Amino acid sequence: MTTRVCPCGLPESYDACCGRFHAGAAAAPTAEALMRSRYSAFVRQDAGYLLRTWHPRTRPARLDLDPGMRWTGLEILETSGGSAFHTSGTVTFRASYRGGSLHERSRFERVDGAWVYVDGDFLD
């Protein structure tokens, strides 16, 4: 069992937070939860989860993650929609990495009831 704090920034263990989504034991209930779990998947180099949670119409054929990339933190700046009562939503965030940060507004939709990442716009 992993007792380390989840990379997504919430004060829970990885297993109790994003780990259960990565393992397939649960599905992210909101667009923000999916965004956090995808950030954690980038931290953990879990390309399979990233591809599984990418919208079929925008999903790349493959994903090559940089093993040298060191993600250092996630800050959720704004959310719109994306709850259990919505079919779409956006999450604006800043993801920090060694040497810089990524500021993006990501779009999410439900496909067969599950939240998936559609695409995003880089900000700044």
Side-chain angles (χ1 to χ4, degrees):
M1 175 153 168
T2 304
T3 55
R4 295 187 58 206
V5 173
C6 193
C8 82
L10 293 178
E12 299 180 61
S13 72
Y14 168 74
D15 287 345
C17 196
C18 295
R20 61 199 173 106
F21 304 140
H22 294 172
T30 65
E32 180 181 335
L34 181 66
M35 202 265 113
R36 287 181 178 279
S37 72
R38 286 176 56 84
Y39 170 82
S40 292
F42 275 103
V43 171
R44 298 176 64 92
Q45 301 278 307
D46 187 345
Y49 180 78
L50 292 165
L51 289 169
R52 284 193 309 278
T53 58
W54 211 309
H55 197 292
R57 79 170 180 263
T58 57
R59 180 188 310 135
R62 55 185 286 222
L63 189 59
D64 296 318
L65 299 176
D66 178 356
M69 184 67 134
R70 294 292 172 255
W71 295 98
T72 58
L74 175 66
E75 180 184 6
I76 302 296
L77 303 172
E78 182 182 5
T79 62
S80 174
S83 79
F85 304 105
H86 298 101
T87 56
S88 65
T90 62
V91 178
T92 304
F93 66 92
R94 179 172 275 102
S96 300
Y97 55 88
R98 192 179 301 147
S101 69
L102 171 74
H103 187 194
E104 181 178 315
R105 181 177 302 112
S106 294
R107 282 180 283 282
F108 298 88
E109 292 179 5
R110 284 187 188 268
V111 171
D112 298 328
W115 285 106
V116 291
Y117 170 78
V118 178
D119 60 17
D121 295 320
F122 294 113
L123 306 173
D124 286 347

